[in-house]
Amino acid sequence: MPGGFETPIQYLKGVGPRRAELYHKLGIETVRQLLWHFPRSYVNFGENTEIASVESDQICSVRAMVMSKSGEQRIRKGLSIFKVTAADDTAEITLVFYNTKYAVEALSIGQEYFFYGRIGGSGFRREMHTPQVFTLADAERGMLSPVYPLTAGLTSRIVSANMAQALELTAGERADFLPTEPRLKYQLCELEFALCQIHRPKDTASAEIAKKRLIFDEFLILALAMSSIRGKRSVETGYQMKEESFTPFYGSLPFRPTGAQEKAVAQSCRDMCREVPMNRLVQGDVGSGKTLVAAACCWFAWKNGFQSAMMAPTEILAMQHLETLRKFLEPFGMRVEALTASMPAGVKRNVKKHLADGEIDLLVGTHAILSDGVDFLNLALVVTDEQHRFGVAQRVSLAQKGNHPHVLVMSATPIPRTLALMVYGDLDLSVIDELPPGRQPILTYRIGSDKRERAYSFIRKHLDMGLQAYMVCPLIEQGEVDIGLKPAAQYAKELADGPFSGYRVGLLHGKMKQADKDSVMEEFKNGSLQLLVSTTVIEVGVDVPNAVIMAIENAERFGLSQLHQLRGRVGRGSQQSYCILLSDAKNAESRQRLGMMCKTNNGFEIAEFDLKLRGPGDFLGFRQHGLPQLAIADMAKDVGLLENAQQAAKDILQVDPDLSQHPKLKEQVQRIVKNVGEQIN
Ligand code: ADP
Ligand code: MG
């Protein structure tokens, strides 16, 4: 049988194959995984309430003596109840148990217990339904009873009992993997204490101490894993650049760059003058002018005699970038071309040829442009736009490309700084925290269906003024048609025939052929279409400054960050812009979320609010990237520990870059690295 930690869960005393199945549902296969399955919270059954003062619906603990027990009452087949009367000095209470004969049999009349549960009944008839029972002996060990994440068939009591076994089985094996130095520096307890106290805490303080250590571990191991996945940054780039004055570039622009744009450019160029490849994230809210930053960096690379590539998540965006970048760069004699899947083979061949011979200075496309068969003469800078869609895997393949090109990542996803730190680790960060001048904040309104006609006439009024608008319909790409939402085409037709008859209405959705999408976008850009009905394919990056209204149907169905991205399509010119959120949702959370949209235009505030409301969950697509879900740490709350862990990871790697002197720690890190590696390959 394998050593204690690696023992399959079914061999643990008291588990067996059937219960093991339940544990498998929670992702627990081994004793180790069980021990690292942490309580969500604790029930403090020692904080008991007098029975006379319990209130209906209150969840509480009472300390009471069992007075009498009823026999089994069969309500119907498969459901029997047992009633137990218990009392303290103040009053009596009826404890109602369902189908739990053994639990009731275990109670002795005349004995005191703690009962924990929700109070039902009313008036004098006090009841507690399916209480958890704790004996006085339980209380001797500690008054905190762990509450575990569960699946049907398991209870926290069962998990606790199995956990006690697991702790016994691995006693003596729980040597600490954390080096003493960071442990002392950050005032963390030993692993032994942490594992015992998280599952069977003596008191609240001990549980907190244990938790702190385990959160730190989780962050540290993740930080080390991310750093291993990213690879060593000590490699040299083949493209160390030299300073260059930006006066000619900035002088050629139709506007003055903002201070934040100039700063991001300066930071990036300083990076590119170093021996190590740049690895920088430029984060700027929608409309902050990230494209210009990209253009400036490509210009800088070109001045240094190198090629650049710019990648966008969709072809529409790539073509839009092509157009914008050409405007910025062609006046200098730079040759900017695109390469997309839908281009004719002959054109593609020609582009590839000129990439290889260095005729083309900047290539724009989707991430497919870094695929095999595209050879550059000297690709020194890779810019990726809207990074969250590329993910960790692509970033890795990118970093491994060629002679270590510089990497600039642009993201409008307002990831709170703590999250960025965790995912990107030592990625340098530039924040564009300033919008181009003259922008008016977008006014956002939430309205119900009853005001729909008014919204239409509001939109018509703006179209009549020569302005344009978007209407986002519920997603057809995501198979939501069947739940009664109108497919985009039908929806567009109804608008075109009804409230917008006589106006030029276009339709854009994800299932259209690329060429059709392009031509619709083109018509909208040049003003031949006035109203663009679209699914969320327009979510990212599309830039039509003359469009001033974004109306979104069933707004409550969208994530807040997505709504913010959509809203970012307007407010790009000097005209007052509007976002209209159509929603009949009545529930409190929807109202709160949409209310937040109306209250602020700040993407970071919105993201942080979303994080608080929904928790980090899969905010960063961890699962998609093969990264573990955080079991105990909370990125939003445990910022201090995250920063400490990040620092500790750096310190450890400094002296032991491949963790060979820390085999136990390495083992933990490798578990994650292997998992992510499987996603990449
Ligand atoms: P982002 O990609 O950050 O969402 P874009 O790069 O698409 O934003 O820029 C949004 C709009 O702002 C574009 O029309 C762009 O030409 C314009 N713009 C960018 N920088 C400035 C500036 N410094 N002054 C005025 N307009 C600017
Ligand atoms: Mg953009």
Side-chain angles (χ1 to χ4, degrees):
M1 202 163 95
F5 271 130
E6 304 314 325
T7 309
I9 189 85
Q10 63 264 35
Y11 298 136
L12 199 60
K13 214 160 85 196
V15 177
R18 274 205 16 226
R19 201 165 275 170
E21 270 310 307
L22 300 178
Y23 277 117
H24 292 176
K25 282 194 195 158
L26 294 170
I28 298 169
E29 311 273 342
T30 63
V31 165
R32 172 194 302 283
Q33 288 165 333
L34 180 63
L35 286 171
W36 263 265
H37 186 65
F38 301 127
R40 206 160 9 95
S41 59
Y42 301 91
V43 163
N44 189 342
F45 59 86
E47 274 176 10
N48 43 292
T49 311
E50 291 184 337
I51 294 176
S53 55
V54 299
E55 285 166 20
S56 199
D57 269 344
Q58 184 187 1
I59 296 176
C60 62
S61 166
V62 299
R63 179 176 173 158
M65 185 186 289
V66 174
M67 314 295 287
S68 66
K69 301 200 266 184
S70 77
E72 181 170 351
Q73 287 173 261
R74 276 184 191 279
I75 301 291
R76 56 182 152 79
K77 197 159 179 273
L79 179 67
S80 29
I81 64 173
F82 302 85
K83 289 192 175 173
V84 173
T85 310
D88 65 7
D89 292 344
T90 65
E92 280 193 0
I93 190 164
T94 305
L95 308 163
V96 187
F97 293 86
Y98 299 86
N99 285 351
T100 42
K101 195 169 178 182
Y102 298 109
V104 176
E105 277 174 0
L107 297 173
S108 319
I109 292 175
Q111 281 275 2
E112 262 191 304
Y113 300 88
F114 292 91
F115 299 99
Y116 180 90
R118 184 187 292 277
I119 303 296
S122 60
F124 336 77
R125 212 165 50 85
R126 297 187 186 84
E127 284 181 0
M128 186 186 274
H129 291 262
T130 55
Q132 289 184 57
V133 181
F134 301 97
T135 63
L136 297 186
D138 289 334
E140 296 268 299
R141 274 198 302 272
M143 302 281 206
L144 294 179
S145 167
V147 179
Y148 288 98
L150 297 170
T151 182
L154 282 177
T155 64
S156 285
R157 201 179 181 88
I158 296 173
V159 177
S160 275
N162 297 149
M163 205 62 83
Q165 283 293 320
L167 284 168
E168 201 168 296
L169 183 72
T170 54
E173 266 187 67
R174 298 189 287 265
D176 212 331
F177 51 78
L178 184 64
T180 316
E181 204 172 292
R183 199 169 66 66
L184 296 181
K185 181 170 170 190
Y186 298 113
Q187 299 174 334
L188 303 165
C189 66
E190 287 182 5
L191 181 63
E192 172 67 18
F193 182 90
L195 281 180
C196 293
Q197 291 298 317
I198 199 78
H199 294 299
R200 323 187 76 192
K202 202 161 71 220
D203 48 37
T204 313
S206 305
E208 282 304 315
I209 291 170
K211 192 170 171 203
K212 178 177 169 196
R213 158 68 203 254
L214 295 167
I215 292 172
F216 184 91
D217 282 2
E218 194 158 50
F219 282 146
L220 176 72
I221 290 163
L222 195 53
L224 289 169
M226 291 308 291
S227 145
S228 157
I229 292 162
R230 282 193 303 268
K232 293 189 187 64
R233 277 194 76 190
S234 54
V235 293
E236 290 190 10
T237 173
Y239 313 102
Q240 191 175 357
M241 304 194 190
K242 290 204 177 58
E243 293 288 344
E244 213 29 84
S245 161
F246 272 93
T247 314
F249 180 77
Y250 289 148
S252 74
L253 298 175
F255 45 68
R256 284 189 52 166
T258 63
Q261 283 171 321
E262 281 197 40
K263 190 166 155 207
V265 172
Q267 287 171 330
S268 307
C269 294
R270 207 182 318 128
D271 288 354
M272 288 190 278
C273 293
R274 299 216 175 102
E275 284 171 6
V276 294
M278 165 165 74
N279 192 23
R280 181 170 288 276
L281 172 67
V282 173
Q283 219 175 49
D285 211 344
V286 280
S288 61
K290 294 183 292 294
T291 320
L292 174 65
V293 174
C297 292
C298 295
W299 181 84
F300 181 75
W302 170 75
K303 276 296 221 181
N304 272 274
F306 298 122
Q307 290 171 304
S308 308
M310 168 117 178
M311 306 193 297
T314 65
E315 289 204 7
I316 293 185
L317 268 182
M319 296 322 282
Q320 182 180 299
H321 280 324
L322 177 72
E323 194 182 313
T324 315
L325 293 168
R326 276 184 168 162
K327 262 191 234 143
F328 286 137
L329 300 171
E330 276 183 344
F332 293 95
M334 277 180 77
R335 180 155 168 205
V336 186
E337 296 289 348
L339 188 62
T340 65
S342 59
M343 280 165 46
V347 178
K348 277 192 218 168
R349 218 175 305 122
N350 202 32
V351 168
K352 286 184 189 172
K353 176 168 169 287
H354 291 307
L355 280 170
D357 66 21
E359 284 267 314
I360 294 175
D361 301 302
L362 169 57
L363 182 69
V364 184
T366 62
H367 58 93
I369 61 177
L370 288 189
S371 66
D372 296 333
V374 184
D375 292 317
F376 292 78
L377 180 67
N378 57 12
L379 176 63
L381 170 64
V382 178
V383 184
T384 76
D385 193 10
E386 311 296 350
Q387 128 84 22
H388 60 298
R389 305 200 165 218
F390 288 106
V392 176
Q394 282 93 342
R395 281 172 48 76
V396 172
S397 73
L398 221 170
Q400 290 163 351
K401 187 99 188 162
N403 208 351
H404 307 292
H406 300 285
V407 174
L408 188 66
V409 174
M410 318 241 272
S411 176
T413 310
I415 307 172
R417 201 190 139 66
T418 49
L419 295 185
L421 198 66
M422 176 42 77
V423 180
Y424 305 117
D426 51 357
L427 187 88
D428 299 299
L429 190 63
S430 297
V431 179
I432 309 188
D433 50 5
E434 186 184 350
L435 292 179
R439 296 273 170 84
Q440 299 181 48
I442 301 162
L443 297 174
T444 302
Y445 302 100
R446 169 187 186 278
I447 62 166
S449 294
D450 51 325
K451 301 237 176 65
R452 179 177 291 276
E453 287 308 322
R454 271 172 64 183
Y456 291 153
S457 84
F458 183 78
I459 296 172
R460 279 193 302 263
K461 199 179 90 195
H462 283 80
L463 302 186
D464 292 340
M465 283 154 56
L467 298 163
Q468 292 163 284
Y470 300 97
M471 285 211 70
V472 173
C473 52
L475 332 163
I476 57 162
E477 283 98 327
Q478 308 204 345
E480 296 206 339
V481 184
D482 52 330
I483 50 176
L485 298 172
K486 293 171 192 158
Q490 189 194 335
Y491 174 79
K493 188 171 182 311
E494 284 176 13
L495 289 175
D497 293 346
F500 294 97
S501 75
Y503 292 86
R504 300 183 301 277
V505 180
L507 170 67
L508 189 71
H509 64 76
K511 294 243 171 81
M512 285 162 63
K513 285 210 204 77
Q514 188 59 43
D516 297 338
K517 282 191 217 168
D518 290 345
S519 73
V520 169
M521 252 345 272
E522 189 46 46
E523 284 175 83
F524 190 64
K525 280 188 130 178
N526 68 25
S528 23
L529 290 174
Q530 295 171 286
L531 177 68
L532 185 61
V533 175
S534 171
T535 59
T536 53
V537 291
I538 50 149
E539 178 188 339
V540 276
V542 176
D543 185 33
V544 181
N546 193 49
V548 295
I549 299 176
M550 167 64 67
I552 303 170
E553 290 277 359
N554 299 98
E556 76 282 356
R557 289 173 173 270
F558 295 86
L560 276 190
S561 291
Q562 203 178 10
L563 287 175
H564 181 66
Q565 292 290 325
L566 286 169
R567 178 169 63 180
R569 296 312 109 218
V570 298
R572 309 197 135 234
S574 51
Q575 294 280 342
Q576 176 62 57
S577 291
Y578 304 89
C579 175
I580 301 171
L581 305 171
L582 286 143
S583 170
D584 288 326
K586 295 278 184 289
N587 71 67
E589 191 188 310
S590 297
R591 287 177 156 271
Q592 224 185 338
R593 291 170 65 238
L594 299 183
M596 189 67 192
M597 289 297 298
C598 300
K599 215 166 74 188
T600 180
N601 274 297
N602 182 320
F604 284 79
E605 263 176 46
I606 290 173
E608 261 158 23
F609 174 81
D610 211 20
L611 199 64
K612 276 205 200 93
L613 202 68
R614 301 192 307 169
D618 207 23
F619 192 82
L620 294 165
F622 265 34
R623 221 169 330 205
Q624 172 199 342
H625 298 144
L627 289 168
Q629 294 286 289
L630 294 175
I632 189 166
D634 179 336
M635 298 242 206
K637 284 200 208 108
D638 304 321
V639 181
L641 280 172
L642 171 59
E643 282 168 357
N644 289 349
Q646 204 89 36
Q647 186 57 47
K650 268 191 192 160
D651 294 345
I652 292 171
L653 291 173
Q654 184 93 40
V655 292
D656 184 17
D658 61 357
L659 296 181
S660 55
Q661 297 161 40
H662 300 88
K664 279 200 179 313
L665 187 56
K666 184 169 185 162
E667 209 182 289
Q668 306 259 347
V669 172
Q670 282 306 329
R671 255 191 284 278
I672 295 180
V673 173
K674 192 170 147 263
N675 215 354
V676 175
E678 279 162 11
Q679 305 287 314
I680 292 171
N681 297 320

